[in-house]
């Protein structure tokens, strides 16, 4: 029988039975739950023709699919290609970055369709799904991908699946509290996706602190080609972020406005990132880590206020500030968090998602509180903040207060949930690697035998380097 590799290690990373068992059992559970609860929504069901007549629609083009699917494609690419390749910067962990991101996202979207469905589209005992549900599931998984960045290279695939199970559940609860109970506006998810996901991941990595991680310090860096691969992820995320922030906005002016605000914020963020990356280096050279990550902070920070009347110049200001904050964070805060607070943040999600997410929540609260009928118009004002029904007497200042409360709730959910999940993942049963073997593809992956992969096998006597 094949023996597990690295037998000298105190931790057993052998996955031959554990990973298949977890994947297969959980997928069978998904099949059963989908069979019991999930059905096509009205616009995806074969009764669409009757639905059209009842709604006085004359063309299939009125189906929500044709409005939402282009945005869904963009968001889907961001989750699987953008986030996946962004994390390939580690010199020996390219397979793990893309492959495990693929794994957790594929499981996460299924569980998210169920969790979010029970909260938002549960009717007559069934979850009715359409293209908007798919977008929201991707948003939920985006939060998990963010948290994955904090623990990248330090966890087993089973730990990632367990984290995904719990985080998707907590995300759905937090999202319901913010959007349904507090009536918060958060189109691009600065609070629900980025703030929650980042501080959840940072809390998990703090609980999983490895005092001996210095033993794998030589593998935590990048090489020329790994940074190029990571830049592919950056460019996909940067290009599609306007779709991300506008994907579930109301059709018409709100969606249009969200795309423009995001576009402007991202553009400004690139220039300030480049400026401060050069300024903060002794030789004035650009650091690829900053360019890969901080250039995206503008998209994060404009998420909450994207569909509000932030204005193009306001978006430029937000992007300008976030490029500075994120770059300074990579230079000064990341080392501080690791040395003083024992937060080992592999990808620097504190700088790309956590701080910009908080800024986004604050900008959203201020923009909402400053809203007036003169700026929005009477009907536009009501539509922008959905001041109808129970909320028709809510004022902009009150809305701003609830927006701020949404930040607090997201932080509390992230810290409490991250601590709980971190404690679960710390149990010695999940097959995570020893500190000296972190950031190493060869622990969980078959790595090709060629000259370019010799570096992967230097530590493994069973796989001699090529002559």
């Amino acid at each position: 029988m094949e023996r597990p590799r690295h037998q000298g290690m105190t931790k057993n990373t052998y996955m031959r039975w554990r990973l298949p068992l977890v994947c297969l059992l959980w997928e069978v559970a998904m099949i059963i739950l989908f069979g019991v609860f999930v059905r096509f929504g009205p616009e995806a069901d074969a009764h669409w023709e009757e639905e059209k007549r009842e709604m006085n629609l004359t063309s299939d083009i009125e189906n929500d699919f044709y409005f939402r699917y282009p945005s869904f494609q963009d968001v889907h690419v961001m989750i699987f290609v953008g986030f996946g390749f962004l994390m390939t910067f580690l010199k020996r962990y390219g397979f793990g970055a893309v492959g495990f991101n693929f794994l957790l996202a594929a499981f996460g979207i299924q569980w998210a369709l169920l969790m979010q469905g029970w909260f938002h589209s549960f009717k007559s005992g069934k979850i009715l799904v359409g293209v908007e549900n798919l977008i929201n599931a991707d948003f939920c998984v985006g939060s998990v991908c963010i948290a994955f960045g904090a623990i990248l290279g330090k966890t087993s695939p089973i730990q990632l699946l367990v984290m995904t199970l719990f985080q998707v559940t907590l995300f759905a609860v937090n999202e319901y509290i913010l959007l349904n109970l507090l009536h918060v506006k958060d189109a691009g998810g600065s609070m629900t996706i980025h703030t929650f996901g980042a501080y959840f991941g940072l809390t998990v990595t703090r609980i999983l602190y490895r005092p001996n991680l210095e033993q794998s310090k030589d593998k935590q860096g990048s090489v020329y080609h790994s940074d190029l691969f990571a830049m592919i992820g950056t460019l996909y995320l940067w290009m599609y972020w306007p779709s991300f922030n506008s994907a579930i906005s109301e059709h018409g002016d709100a969606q249009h406005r969200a795309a423009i605000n995001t576009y402007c914020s991202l553009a400004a963020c690139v220039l300030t990132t480049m400026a401060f990356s050069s300024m903060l280096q002794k030789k004035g050279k650009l650091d690829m880590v900053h360019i890969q990550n901080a250039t995206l902070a503008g998209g994060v920070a404009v998420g909450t206020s994207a569909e509000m009347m932030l204005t193009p110049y306001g978006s430029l200001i937000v992007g300008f500030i976030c490029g500075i904050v994120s770059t300074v964070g990579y230079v000064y805060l990341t080392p501080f968090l690791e040395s003083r607070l024992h937060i080992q943040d592999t990808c620097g999600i504190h700088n790309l998602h956590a701080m910009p997410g908080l800024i986004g929540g604050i900008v959203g609260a201020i923009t909402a509180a400053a809203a007036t009928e003169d700026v929005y118009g009477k009907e536009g004002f009501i539509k922008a903040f959905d001041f109808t029904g129970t909320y028709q007497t809510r004022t902009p200042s009150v809305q701003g207060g609830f927006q701020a409360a949404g930040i607090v709730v997201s932080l509390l959910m992230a810290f409490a949930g991250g601590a709980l999940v971190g404690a679960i993942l710390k149990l010695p049963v999940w097959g995570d690697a020893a500190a000296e073997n972190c950031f190493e593809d060869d622990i969980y992956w078959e790595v090709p035998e060629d000259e370019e992969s010799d570096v992967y096998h230097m530590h493994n006597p069973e796989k001699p380097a090529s002559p």
Side-chain angles (χ1 to χ4, degrees):
M1 184 178 72
E2 181 184 354
R3 300 283 294 172
R5 296 180 185 169
H6 314 287
Q7 296 183 47
M9 298 187 303
T10 56
K11 294 196 173 190
N12 180 11
T13 59
Y14 193 50
M15 288 286 125
R16 187 175 184 185
W17 302 115
R18 283 186 284 186
L19 182 59
L21 183 64
V22 171
C23 288
L24 294 175
L25 284 178
W26 286 13
E27 190 54 44
V28 169
M30 291 298 104
I31 292 170
I32 293 172
L33 289 171
F34 269 63
V36 173
F37 291 107
V38 180
R39 298 294 184 270
F40 291 123
E43 294 182 81
D45 192 81
H47 294 86
W48 167 240
E49 293 300 323
E50 291 92 333
E51 187 77 15
K52 276 197 303 183
R53 282 196 294 273
E54 290 178 10
M55 298 173 66
N56 293 319
L57 301 177
T58 58
S59 172
D60 285 332
I61 200 68
E62 298 296 327
N63 192 300
D64 202 39
F65 177 85
Y66 297 101
F67 291 104
R68 302 288 187 191
Y69 191 73
S71 294
F72 164 69
Q73 286 180 305
D74 294 350
V75 173
H76 216 47
V77 168
M78 289 177 71
I79 299 302
F80 288 90
V81 178
F83 280 111
F85 275 90
L86 182 63
M87 292 183 279
T88 59
F89 68 95
L90 292 172
K91 67 177 84 172
R92 302 188 191 179
Y93 206 71
F95 287 7
V98 176
F100 291 151
N101 183 80
F102 194 9
L103 173 66
L104 68 84
F107 167 64
I109 57 177
Q110 298 175 72
W111 184 228
L113 284 171
L114 288 166
M115 285 303 306
Q116 292 176 311
W118 282 319
F119 279 114
H120 301 291
S121 57
F122 192 64
K123 297 179 181 179
S124 303
K126 303 297 179 184
I127 297 170
L128 304 181
V129 298
V131 67
E132 190 169 338
N133 299 78
L134 306 186
I135 296 172
N136 282 316
D138 275 357
F139 280 174
C140 180
V141 167
S143 179
V144 182
C145 294
I146 291 166
F148 176 39
I151 57 175
L152 181 70
K154 299 174 292 187
T155 48
S156 72
I158 296 179
Q159 283 177 304
L160 293 175
L161 288 169
V162 172
M163 184 185 80
T164 302
L165 178 71
F166 282 98
Q167 188 176 352
V168 167
T169 304
L170 292 168
F171 177 97
V173 173
N174 183 60
E175 182 185 52
Y176 179 78
I177 293 172
L178 265 64
L179 303 187
N180 293 71
L181 301 184
L182 299 181
H183 196 61
V184 161
K185 306 302 287 184
D186 193 29
S190 292
M191 295 181 286
T192 54
I193 300 171
H194 301 284
T195 299
F196 171 76
Y199 284 104
F200 179 93
L202 291 169
T203 305
V204 169
T205 196
R206 175 60 185 88
I207 301 297
L208 298 180
Y209 172 69
R210 291 172 177 264
N212 299 319
L213 197 61
E214 286 289 325
Q215 295 176 6
S216 57
K217 191 73 175 179
D218 61 312
K219 291 174 281 188
Q220 293 185 46
S222 63
V223 291
Y224 194 81
H225 70 267
S226 67
D227 270 335
L228 281 176
F229 273 111
M231 196 63 195
I232 293 173
T234 299
L235 292 174
Y236 269 104
L237 290 169
W238 196 91
M239 289 188 300
Y240 290 140
W241 216 294
S243 293
F244 189 93
N245 283 352
S246 64
I248 58 171
S249 296
E250 289 289 335
H251 299 322
D253 63 289
Q255 195 166 43
H256 199 164
R257 194 162 52 241
I260 293 171
N261 282 333
T262 307
Y263 182 95
C264 292
S265 183
L266 285 165
C269 190
V270 173
L271 271 73
T272 50
T273 297
M274 292 279 188
F276 272 76
S277 180
S278 175
M279 188 187 305
L280 297 176
Q281 301 299 313
K282 291 182 179 179
K283 295 183 179 180
K285 295 183 178 181
L286 298 170
D287 189 326
M288 199 60 168
V289 172
H290 308 157
I291 311 308
Q292 290 162 356
N293 296 279
T295 53
L296 301 170
V300 175
V302 82
T304 297
S305 57
E307 62 183 8
M308 300 179 191
M309 290 290 285
L310 182 60
T311 73
Y313 81 88
S315 302
L316 291 175
I317 293 172
V318 173
F320 183 96
I321 293 171
C322 283
I324 298 171
V325 170
S326 185
T327 307
V328 170
Y330 275 101
V331 176
Y332 298 110
L333 284 182
T334 296
F336 173 82
L337 292 177
E338 183 165 355
S339 61
R340 300 297 179 87
L341 302 183
H342 294 167
I343 296 175
Q344 297 162 326
D345 180 7
T346 307
C347 291
I349 65 168
H350 182 256
N351 312 307
L352 172 54
H353 299 281
M355 292 191 296
L358 288 176
I359 292 172
I362 294 169
V363 170
I366 294 172
T367 308
T372 65
E373 287 190 7
D374 290 338
V375 174
Y376 286 81
K378 185 175 182 179
E379 292 183 9
F381 179 74
I382 295 172
K383 180 182 177 183
F385 297 99
D386 194 20
F387 286 162
T388 57
T390 308
Y391 307 100
Q392 63 182 346
T393 58
R394 181 175 285 190
T395 63
S397 59
V398 172
Q399 180 66 30
F402 276 99
Q403 294 285 146
I407 303 173
V408 176
V409 172
S410 293
L411 287 172
L412 292 176
M413 289 289 292
F415 291 138
L420 172 64
V421 174
I424 293 172
L425 298 185
K426 202 173 180 67
L427 297 173
V429 297
W430 307 117
D432 55 313
E436 65 268 20
N437 290 308
C438 288
F439 315 109
E440 180 67 73
D441 268 339
D442 197 31
I443 304 300
Y444 301 112
W445 297 85
E446 287 289 343
V447 178
E449 293 278 10
D450 56 43
E451 292 182 3
E452 292 183 1
S453 66
D454 285 348
V455 68
Y456 286 92
H457 310 304
M458 291 170 61
H459 69 286
N460 186 358
E462 296 180 10
K463 291 194 171 187
S466 302

